[in-house]
Amino acid sequence: MSIWILLIAALSAFVLGGLWYGPLFGKAWRKANGVPEGYQSGHPARVFGVSFIFAFIAAAGYLHFVGFSDDILASALHGAAVGALIAGTSFGINYQFSGKPFGLLLIDGGYHTVQFAIYGALYAGLHEIL
């Protein structure tokens, strides 16, 4: 599979994240984490650069271990299962021990569920093009 598909998949995580942690759930996420409006966790170039590397690794790992089918819906559902059942539940374990609210699990777990669903759909839809 082409490196371009992995780059597109990693970029899709940023588009989704901008919407998810911005207008859709940004306020609720900040409140659940106790993060004040306007707070930055570090220099934006470092934060976004490292996050892109992690998104690329996740995209490559998903492709390597799960793969895709030619059916876009089936691949999206496989991705959603990975996001919800592996990433989401892993957050759930951590959040139980750190006392994070259930709403935060829904936000973060939901993001990764949709993220991996998009990865699956992209792989199925683009594997013959790129």
Side-chain angles (χ1 to χ4, degrees), residues 16-17 20-21 25 28-29 32-33 76-96 100-119:
L16 175 64
W20 200 269
Y21 293 105
F25 303 108
W29 182 87
N33 272 304
L77 290 173
H78 287 143
V82 167
L85 301 175
I86 297 174
T89 57
S90 295
F91 274 107
I93 294 166
N94 292 350
Y95 289 3
Q96 287 302 299
K100 299 281 186 180
F102 185 71
L104 184 60
L105 174 61
L106 294 177
I107 293 169
D108 289 335
Y111 166 78
H112 290 292
T113 299
V114 175
Q115 171 195 12
F116 283 99
I118 291 171
Y119 286 176

Side-chain angles (χ1 to χ4, degrees), residues 11-26 30 48 111:
L11 184 61
S12 76
F14 273 77
V15 173
L16 175 64
L19 293 170
W20 200 269
Y21 293 105
L24 294 176
F25 303 108
R30 283 189 302 279
F48 284 101
Y111 166 78

